[in-house]
Structures are given as C-alpha cells and as structure tokens.
Amino acid sequence: MFLNPLYPQHGMRPENQSSVSEFLLLGLPIRPEQQGVFFALFLGVYLTTVLGNLLILLLIRLDPRLHTPMYFFLSHLALTDISFSSVTLPKMLMNMQTRCQAITYAGCISQVYCFIFFGCLDSFLLAVMAYDRYVAVCHPLHYTAIMRDELCVILVAGCWLAACAQALLHTLLVDQLTFCAGTVIPHFFCDLAVVLKSSCSDTSLNELLILTEGGLIFTLPLGGILGSYIRMAAIILKVPSFTRIFKALSTCGSHLFVVFLYYGTIAGVYYFPSSGNSKVKDIVASLMYMVVTPMLNPFIYSLRNKDMKHALQKFFRTVGTPGYC
C-alpha cells in the first residue's frame, strides 16, 4: 500500500484516551501523483450515481404505469443507493482534494451508523423485491390480491425499522469502546470491522454480535432471495418454453445480477477477509458494493426494462416539447 506522505505523523501517543476528538483515515492505496485522476474518477462515479437514481425516482413518480409494487420497491432502493454512496464518497473526495485525512469522532461514529443502516436496508429491500418477483412469476393470477398497497407499505416500513434497529445496536456498542490518541483507520471510511480493530479496548462482544446477529441479517435475506429464485426456476421448468424462460430472465435477471454483485463483495470483506497487511482486496471489494453497485443499479434496472425505457423516452419527449416549463 502506498501511503500519502502528507499524513501527519505527530501526536501519535500510545496512551489510552476515553474521548478521542478525531481519527485519521488513510484513504485509498494510491500514490500522491495519482490523486487528481482518482478524484475526477470518483467524482464522476458519485454524480452518475446520484443523477441516475434521482432519474429513476422522477420517472416512477411521473409515469402512472410505474405505480406498481415492483417500482415502489425500486424507488426505495434508488433512494437507499443515493444515501449509501453519500455516506462515504463526499468525505473521501474532500480528503483527496484537501489532503487532510482527519475525521472527527462524531463523524466516524455517524459513518458507522449510516453505513450499517443503509447497507442493511439495501439487503432487506433486495429480499422484498425477490418476494415480489416470486409472487409475480409463481402466482400471477393472485398477484394484485397478494401485493396490495397496504402490504407493500408494511414491507418497506419493516425494512426501514429493522435496518435502524440493527445500525443502532452496533453503533451504541462501538460508542462504548476506548480508542488511543492518534488512532489511524486504514480505510477510506469508518468501516465497522476496521474501527473495531483500531480500538484499544476489548471488542469480543462486538465481534460476537457481528458473527451471530450480523450473520443472520446477512444470511436470512440472501436465503430468502435464493429460495424465491429456486422456487421460480422449478415452476418455470415444469412446463419449459422459450417464451416463459425469456420473460422470467427479463423480469428477474437484472435483480439477480445486483444480488450476486452486492452479496458477493460483502462476503469477500466480512467473511473471507484478507490476511496479514494486504488489505487492498478488502478496499476494492468495499468500493464495489458501496460505490460501483449503486452506480450500476440505474443502468441495470433501466436499460433492461421495457417500462422504464418507455417512461424515459416519454420524459425526454415531454422535456423537449416547445413551451415546456
């Protein structure tokens, strides 16, 4: 890893300190002369993420044909992706521009909370969207009766509340830890696992909670998603036809791709971490699920979706109409 020579080295006192005012974020493992190129790259990625997901929200709001359960869930996923990227990227870009790697204690704890909150919310929403696709494919005649507006609101509200509880639990435990003066976070944001390793106090309870309760939060939504798709595949293959298979792939393929990309990179960071001092793989995986996936979602769900493409064309025709205000 290439460390920035501008990182301050003074003030690194080894004694414990119960109220540390700030930490140092080492950032990305890039050379100082490459800072400008990567700043422009990640700024472009962040703007694409925000504008792309805002466009999805706008299209779903304006087009009555998109007022269905699937797009209702997609609108919440788009909002979550904007928030998820905004937790870390603006701070990382500011640090790259100013060459100041400091982050306040309150800012670091806030990053931990928001990172867990929006990460869990993303996971829960993907599971709810898989259930919606399961009902659409396996019970098409009863889809409207099952996926009522009330049920959709309850499912989304449950996702937000469960994610909030999960984030609050871990953040309160982190706030009880003791950190040394001059603590260095070898990452580009205050990741929960890295913050725990940087603490001077015993973190066995925090780690046990991540392995047990955190493991359930990871495996249960993923198990529900995989179970839904296995059930869908079994029903489709009972009476196989090219038309049914193509329709199922066009309906569920984009969602399944996002699921594997999101959960695969998270598993690589938290369940198969890098050993020794080589943490580049973990940082790259973190960039994938925190930066790349939210940016790709608008393209995945829009370019492969007939209704979204039609709504986009209608929107641009309306905007291009003379006299449009």
Side-chain angles (χ1 to χ4, degrees):
M1 179 180 295
F2 300 99
L3 301 182
N4 193 327
L6 296 179
Y7 293 158
Q9 301 297 322
H10 61 278
M12 301 295 186
R13 300 185 305 274
E15 68 269 15
N16 289 347
Q17 183 173 313
S18 58
S19 57
V20 177
S21 60
E22 66 179 23
F23 299 141
L24 292 179
L25 287 173
L26 291 189
L28 298 175
I30 55 179
R31 293 184 175 90
E33 62 269 19
Q34 297 174 328
Q35 293 277 352
V37 175
F38 278 92
F39 176 84
L41 174 63
F42 285 110
L43 178 61
V45 168
Y46 180 63
L47 292 177
T48 302
T49 300
V50 173
L51 295 177
N53 283 287
L54 282 178
L55 181 60
I56 285 182
L57 290 171
L58 181 63
L59 294 178
I60 293 175
R61 177 69 179 85
L62 294 179
D63 196 326
R65 298 195 310 170
L66 301 182
H67 295 173
T68 63
M70 182 177 75
Y71 296 107
F72 175 69
F73 299 138
L74 180 57
S75 65
H76 282 269
L77 183 66
L79 178 62
T80 303
D81 285 337
I82 294 173
S83 305
F84 200 24
S85 295
S86 299
V87 170
T88 57
L89 271 180
K91 176 60 178 174
M92 185 183 76
L93 291 170
M94 185 179 71
N95 287 355
M96 293 175 69
Q97 184 68 16
T98 62
R99 305 294 178 90
C100 175
Q101 309 304 123
I103 182 172
T104 63
Y105 176 82
C108 188
I109 295 298
S110 298
Q111 274 197 347
V112 170
Y113 176 84
C114 293
F115 161 70
I116 298 174
F117 175 71
F118 291 113
C120 290
L121 183 56
D122 221 329
S123 176
F124 297 151
L125 287 173
L126 289 174
V128 169
M129 292 175 71
Y131 173 72
D132 173 72
R133 293 301 84 207
Y134 163 77
V135 176
V137 172
C138 300
H139 305 283
L141 299 179
H142 300 91
Y143 177 78
T144 305
I146 295 175
M147 300 303 296
R148 307 179 310 276
D149 291 344
E150 298 84 357
L151 178 62
C152 294
V153 172
I154 291 173
L155 289 174
V156 169
C159 291
W160 282 82
L161 290 175
C164 180
Q166 172 80 356
L168 191 61
L169 175 63
H170 286 281
T171 306
L172 288 176
L173 285 177
V174 170
D175 194 44
Q176 303 303 312
L177 299 177
T178 301
F179 295 90
C180 299
T183 296
V184 175
I185 307 294
H187 215 299
F188 66 92
F189 74 104
C190 287
D191 177 70
L192 175 61
V194 180
V195 170
L196 293 182
K197 292 179 182 178
S198 303
S199 174
C200 299
S201 54
D202 181 24
T203 60
S204 56
L205 178 60
N206 305 72
E207 294 169 358
L208 179 63
L209 192 66
I210 291 176
L211 290 175
T212 55
E213 187 261 355
L216 288 176
I217 296 297
F218 178 84
T219 55
L220 288 179
L222 180 59
I225 293 170
L226 295 179
S228 298
Y229 279 105
I230 290 173
R231 179 61 178 163
M232 281 187 277
I235 290 180
I236 292 172
L237 294 177
K238 280 184 179 179
V239 187
S241 70
F242 178 78
T243 304
R244 292 189 68 187
I245 294 175
F246 179 78
K247 184 177 180 180
L249 288 176
S250 63
T251 303
C252 307
S254 56
H255 179 258
L256 197 57
F257 176 79
V258 171
V259 167
F260 279 116
L261 182 62
Y262 182 75
Y263 280 99
T265 51
I266 289 180
V269 173
Y270 292 98
Y271 295 94
F272 305 100
S274 300
S275 58
N277 296 323
S278 177
K279 297 298 181 181
V280 176
K281 188 196 78 172
D282 292 346
I283 293 178
V284 171
S286 298
L287 287 171
M288 288 297 294
Y289 72 81
M290 292 201 68
V291 178
V292 177
T293 302
M295 181 192 69
L296 290 179
N297 280 351
F299 299 100
I300 293 172
Y301 285 109
S302 299
L303 298 180
R304 296 192 51 170
N305 188 295
K306 181 175 62 176
D307 293 333
M308 289 294 292
K309 287 191 288 188
H310 183 272
L312 187 61
Q313 293 170 357
K314 180 181 177 182
F315 173 75
F316 283 123
R317 283 199 302 267
T318 304
V319 172
T321 301
Y324 174 79
C325 182

